[in-house]
Amino acid sequence: MNNSEKWYRLPKSVMLDERLTPSAGYVYAVMLDRIKSNDNPEIQISASELEKYSGLPIRTVKRVLKLLKDTGYITNVRTEQGNKAYYTIVPILPEK
């Protein structure tokens, strides 16, 4: 594997969650990678940034964000000025 390639960790429990699609697991892994610490599991990211990092179409990203919220992986969403949103996600990985 080339060192410039990006990779993400995804817990087995997420992979096996039948409520999630593979796209949802992938976007969740991208979001988990952005958490600074489990004490503050809020990340600031836009749907277009998730589109860029995941390579998924924007419609899919938006649908996946709703699915993650509906299934409890995202516990809070707030928006401020501009198009960025703050997502509080359930951090289910050990600290980096």
Side-chain angles (χ1 to χ4, degrees), residues 20-28 31 46-48 50-52 54-69 74 87:
L20 300 180
T21 63
S23 296
Y26 186 44
V27 169
Y28 185 69
M31 295 175 86
S46 67
S48 60
L50 285 169
E51 174 190 27
K52 177 181 135 191
S54 70
L56 297 169
I58 192 75
R59 284 181 53 197
T60 301
V61 169
K62 289 179 179 181
R63 187 173 57 246
V64 160
L65 288 171
K66 182 182 179 330
L67 177 61
L68 290 170
K69 186 162 182 355
I74 294 174
Y87 298 94

Side-chain angles (χ1 to χ4, degrees), residues 28 31 35 40-43 72-78 86-91:
Y28 185 69
M31 295 175 86
I35 291 179
N40 182 16
E42 184 177 75
I43 61 167
Y73 286 93
I74 294 174
T75 58
N76 188 37
V77 180
R78 68 182 173 88
Y86 292 84
Y87 298 94
T88 304
I89 64 175
V90 177

Side-chain angles (χ1 to χ4, degrees), residues 8 14 19 28 32 34 36 39-40 44-45 47 52 55 57 76 80 82 88 90 93 95:
Y8 300 102
V14 176
R19 301 171 300 166
Y28 185 69
L32 273 175
R34 301 275 181 263
K36 300 288 187 241
D39 295 333
N40 182 16
Q44 178 188 12
I45 196 163
K52 177 181 135 191
N76 188 37
E80 290 186 357
T88 304
V90 177
L93 287 175
E95 290 283 342

